[in-house]
Amino acid sequence: MRNDVQDYYGKQLQSSEDLQTNACCDQEPPEHLKPLLAQLHDEVVMRYYGCGLVAPEQLKGMRILDLGSGSGRDVFLLSALVGEQGEVVGVDMTDEQLDVARRHQDYHRDVFGYANSNVRFLKGYIEELDQLDLEDGYFDIIISNCVINLSTDKAKVLADVKRLLKPGGEFYFSDVYADRRVPSALVNDPVLYGECLSGALYWNDFINLGKRSGFADPRLVESRRLTIENPAIEKKLGNIRFYSATYRLFNIENLEPACEDYGQAVIYKGTMENCPHAFMLDDHHIIETGKVFPVCGNTWLMLEKSRFAEHFEFIGNFDTHYGIFEGCGLNVPFEDNEEGGAASCC
């Protein structure tokens, strides 16, 4: 399957117009990124096949690794966001895509006004990051855009991501997920696989894989239904539904498998660039500036142990546990049986 993917993205696809579905199509970017995207070279943009946006907040000076960097669109966008003191490394297995990226490396250095380029591109497989010259615990952020589904060893990818991230770093990535496990007959279809569909994980298998890999509390940032828009492929897929989703996984020790309540809260200072009124950690944590915002222990650690810490005030500690955090989706499983009193055993 790896050779099929290399052929599909290296030789068969010459632009996003050659895609047979809308799975690898981007969405509307936020306003503050549009001027930067407009500065990218046309060929780099034309050979882009992502499904989401992978530019989280607070990137100045960060070291970022892009898995499956392709023509380099996200690498060059992030190059502008991290600044000349930051660094972005792209890894891809396709010679044709790497040629496009490297060909326009100096172009983007000049456009952004840098004395030296702050990006580099490595040829390699995202399942074999341990074979590349990448230092353990080196990166602040690792990203990927519609590529993990193409991997034949997703567990190995996540294990290497965990190893390469700094403590407090995060894996922030967009990918395609299915609402059920995809049958093996479809997984082996090279077109469906190349279109980022049949290699997609069932969403709950991904959550469990993330936890087994050391990312105890994966957080969904945003998602949207993919409509495919190809009748022949829709017929093959039957009732399987696919979604593009962005997750963030923090490399933080002591995160718990559920959201536990310790009576804690945070106050966002409104000091992140482009986030003056609120900060969105995930799809159910939109933290307004200046407002006391109750959080579970995991959310507290995600903010206090990461690059976001300086932008928050922290209230409370871990001294007292109050049970599951309200709204976590879990409830006490036992009936109170208040009317009948305690159950008896005869």
Side-chain angles (χ1 to χ4, degrees), residues 262 264 316-322:
Y262 294 92
Q264 297 161 309
N317 51 48
F318 286 88
D319 289 350
T320 305
H321 180 232
Y322 298 96

Side-chain angles (χ1 to χ4, degrees), residues 65-301:
L65 174 65
D66 182 0
L67 304 183
S69 54
S71 65
R73 194 208 75 159
D74 289 334
V75 168
F76 293 125
L77 173 64
L78 294 167
S79 165
L81 294 170
V82 302
E84 197 164 5
Q85 302 308 311
E87 179 185 3
V88 189
V89 178
V91 172
D92 202 89
M93 67 177 182
T94 309
D95 289 323
E96 292 85 353
Q97 291 280 70
L98 286 167
D99 287 345
V100 173
R102 289 168 174 157
R103 185 159 60 244
H104 301 299
Q105 191 168 337
D106 289 339
Y107 170 90
H108 292 95
R109 181 202 64 204
D110 293 339
V111 165
F112 300 142
Y114 296 162
N116 298 292
S117 175
N118 63 350
V119 309
R120 58 191 173 107
F121 295 96
L122 304 176
K123 182 177 180 181
Y125 301 104
I126 64 173
E127 308 91 350
E128 299 176 1
L129 295 174
D130 50 344
Q131 297 185 24
L132 300 178
D133 184 21
L134 299 171
E135 181 182 341
D136 290 2
Y138 182 80
F139 293 99
D140 300 284
I141 302 163
I142 296 178
I143 68 159
S144 181
N145 200 337
C146 206
V147 172
I148 304 299
N149 69 85
L150 297 172
S151 170
T152 55
D153 191 348
K154 297 171 176 63
K156 178 62 163 53
V157 175
L158 287 179
D160 280 342
V161 166
K162 183 78 165 54
R163 176 177 56 81
L164 293 169
L165 278 174
K166 291 180 178 179
E170 71 167 316
F171 186 26
Y172 188 96
F173 70 108
S174 293
D175 215 276
V176 176
Y177 299 90
D179 71 341
R180 65 199 72 186
R181 294 176 182 135
V182 179
S184 58
L186 296 181
V187 172
N188 294 324
D189 185 310
V191 172
L192 293 182
Y193 205 94
E195 288 286 325
C196 301
L197 294 170
S198 63
L201 280 173
Y202 163 47
W203 67 268
N204 201 32
D205 285 345
F206 161 69
I207 296 295
N208 290 318
L209 176 60
K211 292 179 178 180
R212 290 195 301 272
S213 302
F215 298 104
D217 189 359
R219 294 294 179 93
L220 176 64
V221 179
E222 60 183 3
S223 62
R224 59 189 171 92
R225 172 83 181 276
L226 297 176
T227 54
I228 310 302
E229 297 181 7
N230 181 316
I233 288 180
E234 288 172 6
K235 184 177 180 180
K236 278 187 177 183
L237 295 172
N239 292 326
I240 305 173
R241 294 185 178 185
F242 292 89
Y243 299 84
S244 169
T246 301
Y247 278 92
R248 63 191 334 158
L249 281 61
F250 284 93
N251 183 29
I252 295 175
E253 299 300 321
N254 301 318
L255 292 181
E256 300 187 78
C259 297
E260 304 293 345
D261 187 355
Y262 294 92
Q264 297 161 309
V266 298
I267 301 174
Y268 173 50
K269 300 176 184 178
T271 48
M272 284 189 230
E273 188 176 4
N274 303 307
C275 302
H277 305 299
F279 169 72
M280 180 179 177
L281 177 68
D282 54 52
D283 66 349
H284 60 287
H285 288 85
I286 301 174
I287 307 172
E288 292 186 58
T289 300
K291 183 179 180 180
V292 177
F293 192 94
V295 294
C296 69
N298 281 358
T299 299
W300 165 284
L301 289 172

